[in-house]
Amino acid sequence: MINIQKNIKKINEKIEGACFTASQKGKPSSNNRQNPVTLLAVSKTKPVSALEQAYLVGQRDFGENYLQEAVEKITALSHLTDICWHFIGPIQSNKTKQITQHFSWVHCLDRAKIAHRLNDHLSERILQNNGQDTSLNICLQVNISEESSKSGIMADEVISLAKVVDNCDNLTLRGLMAIPAKNASVECYKKMQYLFNQLQAQYPSVDTLSMGMSNDLNLAIANGATMVRIGSAIFGDRD
Ligand SMILES: *Cc1c(COP(=O)(O)O)cnc(C)c1O
């Protein structure tokens, strides 16, 4: 049987170890000292009870890929008001309204049209909520391994899409997200770090490099990841 609570403890230790190693080597990722690595627990396909287990040992950031499934869980757990929900799946334009209603973060923005739709829905909500701030945190997804099967923009499109997001009043540009291909080279991770540093130099709101999953956590942190998205190593394999 999988022990979710033990797994979270193990992953947190692994993250700490990876941060320590990175700082020892004096790599640029040693700014992880001011900017510690956040663990995002990826709970897609897992039941509400699994998320509750994680919550009980202090896990607060959860990532979901499928909107319908996510909304059911978010509704079931709405009494846990300090959970921060991250949408990490591909975004269809007819789902943007629901995303703004339920999530604080979107990790996979890759089109200007989606940015504008998210921003417009948030404007409507702000009017309805008497101006209460409901800004949405955005990471741009970069298809760093240039795989045709994956979504995301190419590296040379980062600056122009960042500008679009930064110009949207209700969106906060937080950084970049990537899913490097299986067995991707270190160069691929370094390229993400370079793009991230470049963006950070231009926009003070940028503080997040969302990179690293169960199988490449160390490599990602060694190359500047500030948020890792871990599913199976916490919740067990998915069907
Ligand atoms: C499923 C998923 C993860 C988690 O993957 P694991 O290998 O189970 O850790 C992370 N990021 C995204 C975008 C995912 O879809």
Side-chain angles (χ1 to χ4, degrees):
M1 228 191 79
I2 53 152
N3 186 329
I4 291 169
Q5 302 193 335
K6 231 187 214 166
N7 288 346
I8 288 190
K9 203 170 158 240
K10 262 195 262 175
I11 292 288
N12 277 321
E13 284 167 5
K14 215 172 153 180
I15 290 172
E16 246 177 67
C19 289
F20 182 72
T21 306
S23 68
Q24 286 278 322
K25 286 186 181 153
K27 289 190 174 165
S29 49
S30 57
N31 22 0
N32 286 340
R33 298 284 114 218
Q34 309 117 269
N35 205 4
V37 173
T38 302
L39 171 59
L40 179 58
V42 176
S43 43
K44 61 179 174 224
T45 79
K46 300 298 175 183
V48 166
S49 58
L51 283 77
E52 282 170 331
Q53 289 287 307
Y55 183 88
L56 285 173
V57 287
Q59 184 59 37
R60 292 295 180 270
D61 289 277
F62 289 89
E64 289 279 342
N65 297 57
Y66 310 110
L67 189 62
Q68 223 34 62
E69 179 197 333
V71 170
E72 282 170 29
K73 290 181 204 172
I74 293 170
T75 307
L77 294 171
S78 59
H79 56 289
L80 305 178
T81 52
D82 55 349
I83 290 185
C84 182
W85 295 99
H86 300 243
F87 192 73
I88 62 170
I91 309 176
Q92 294 162 274
S93 57
N94 62 347
K95 301 285 169 61
T96 46
K97 183 166 186 179
Q98 269 190 298
I99 287 172
T100 61
Q101 287 167 332
H102 296 286
F103 289 88
S104 305
W105 284 72
V106 162
H107 285 237
C108 37
L109 191 91
D110 62 0
R111 278 179 290 163
K113 180 186 160 194
I114 299 288
H116 289 133
R117 287 184 67 102
L118 291 168
N119 191 54
D120 291 347
H121 292 309
L122 287 162
S123 298
E124 289 161 24
R125 279 188 60 208
I126 289 166
L127 283 177
Q128 288 157 9
N129 296 349
N130 301 319
Q132 203 187 328
D133 183 30
T134 45
S135 132
L136 184 64
N137 298 297
I138 302 286
C139 289
L140 312 181
Q141 182 173 355
V142 182
N143 187 353
I144 195 67
S145 302
E146 304 191 4
E147 294 173 283
S148 57
S149 60
K150 283 202 188 117
S151 36
I153 53 175
M154 293 298 137
D156 62 1
E157 298 171 305
V158 166
I159 294 300
S160 61
L161 188 58
K163 199 169 189 180
V164 170
V165 171
D166 189 60
N167 280 331
C168 288
D169 285 344
N170 307 310
L171 304 183
T172 304
L173 180 67
R174 297 296 294 268
L176 300 176
M177 178 271 210
I179 311 173
K182 275 201 182 78
N183 307 317
S185 67
V186 178
E187 302 319 313
C188 175
Y189 292 81
K190 291 204 183 309
K191 199 166 163 193
M192 276 309 298
Q193 185 174 29
Y194 172 77
L195 291 171
F196 172 65
N197 289 341
Q198 227 184 4
L199 198 63
Q200 200 170 29
Q202 205 172 336
Y203 296 101
S205 61
V206 168
D207 60 1
T208 303
L209 178 54
S210 167
M211 179 168 80
M213 310 190 352
S214 296
N215 292 323
D216 64 346
L217 180 157
N218 281 319
L219 191 53
I221 292 176
N223 292 287
T226 69
M227 195 180 284
V228 291
R229 308 178 310 269
I230 309 293
S232 48
I234 293 175
F235 297 109
D237 288 336
R238 291 175 295 272
D239 295 334

